[in-house]
Amino acid sequence: MPILVYVLGVGTKSAIAISLVSVGTVSLIGTILHWQKGNVRADIALLFAPTAMLGAYLGALFASLPWVSEDAQLLCFSIAMVMASLFMILKSKQPSKTAQMTHAEPSVKKNAPPHWLMIPAEGLGIGMITGFVGIGGGFAIVPALVLLTNMPMKQAIGTSLLIITLKSITGFLGYLGQVQMSWSLVGSFSLAAGLGTLLGSYLNQFMSARILQASFGYFVLSFAFLMLTAQFSF
């Protein structure tokens, strides 16, 4: 979304709608790759996704209201970027603790039932954020799935991609007909994002996951800082 707004000069609301298509495309590719490895829990996704899809649609409709300013959306997006980047940076600095939680949590809470009522509620909240600012929300979905269902981290990542795919679709539908969009830009940007996903998936095997996560976290934090500086400089 920042690339569309600051580099290509697309309006904020249109950029969010286009980014939802891009996020959905990337997530769909990731879902297929994880599904082939058995890392997608469709049953949990079907419990999480309906409210997430509803929230994304409602968030998009709310964002499309004429009195919701683009500056407010950019500010919310910047805050979401800061939260996501801090989560990734802090998580990368505690690899042993994360690994212990991932493997030990299921055995400790083996007999504890998943918090089924919390899953749809979490989905609704994350979905509304997705529809309003166009962010996928994986940084919130993955830990929620691990904590609420006790599933392993790899399954949580694969399952989150399926959820993001579905709610991106409904979020985009909420903007459809409400904002102006260049369909050629939608297609080319989504195609580029999909190809980038495949390339990134290949290059990922040559890099340390901890270093990659920390580097990306600092990159996102820097971009969020630049966005906030640009907004408050006017």
Side-chain angles (χ1 to χ4, degrees):
M1 199 271 276
I3 294 175
L4 291 168
V5 173
Y6 293 105
V7 178
L8 299 180
V10 179
T12 300
K13 295 182 186 294
S14 298
I16 291 176
I18 295 173
S19 70
L20 286 171
V21 180
S22 177
V23 168
T25 301
V26 169
S27 300
L28 177 59
I29 295 173
T31 299
I32 295 173
L33 296 176
H34 279 272
W35 190 288
Q36 293 173 341
K37 299 177 182 179
N39 289 330
V40 177
R41 286 284 303 275
D43 56 335
I44 299 297
L46 291 176
L47 185 63
F48 199 109
T51 54
M53 294 170 70
L54 174 62
Y57 185 76
L58 294 176
L61 289 181
F62 179 75
S64 300
L65 295 174
W67 52 269
V68 177
S69 69
E70 294 187 346
D71 289 338
Q73 285 182 280
L74 285 174
L75 178 60
C76 291
F77 184 85
S78 301
I79 294 174
M81 288 181 69
V82 171
M83 293 175 60
S85 62
L86 292 177
F87 174 81
M88 287 185 287
I89 293 170
L90 292 175
K91 187 178 176 184
S92 68
K93 294 183 180 299
Q94 300 175 333
S96 59
K97 182 177 179 180
T98 302
Q100 290 173 4
M101 286 182 61
T102 303
H103 297 289
E105 191 83 9
S107 59
V108 173
K109 296 186 177 181
K110 183 170 58 177
N111 297 322
H115 302 276
W116 300 113
L117 294 178
M118 289 296 297
I119 296 176
E122 179 90 9
L124 182 63
I126 295 175
M128 294 187 70
I129 295 174
T130 295
F132 188 71
V133 299
I135 199 167
F139 68 94
I141 296 177
V142 172
L145 291 175
V146 172
L147 294 174
L148 297 179
T149 69
N150 300 324
M151 70 169 60
M153 182 64 73
K154 288 184 178 180
Q155 285 190 3
I157 294 173
T159 304
S160 73
L161 289 172
L162 176 56
I163 295 169
I164 293 171
T165 301
L166 295 174
K167 66 188 179 71
S168 296
I169 294 174
T170 55
F172 174 74
L173 291 177
Y175 280 99
L176 192 62
Q178 306 294 327
V179 297
Q180 293 183 343
M181 286 183 293
S182 168
W183 289 105
S184 60
L185 181 59
V186 171
S188 59
F189 201 80
S190 299
L191 177 62
L195 293 175
T197 300
L198 294 175
L199 177 60
S201 178
Y202 171 75
L203 295 176
N204 183 60
Q205 60 185 315
F206 303 109
M207 304 183 69
S208 165
R210 188 170 69 88
I211 294 177
L212 181 62
Q213 187 171 12
S215 300
F216 186 69
Y218 284 114
F219 172 77
V220 173
L221 184 61
S222 300
F223 215 118
F225 177 76
L226 291 175
M227 289 181 64
L228 288 170
T229 302
Q231 292 171 61
F232 286 107
S233 63
F234 294 102

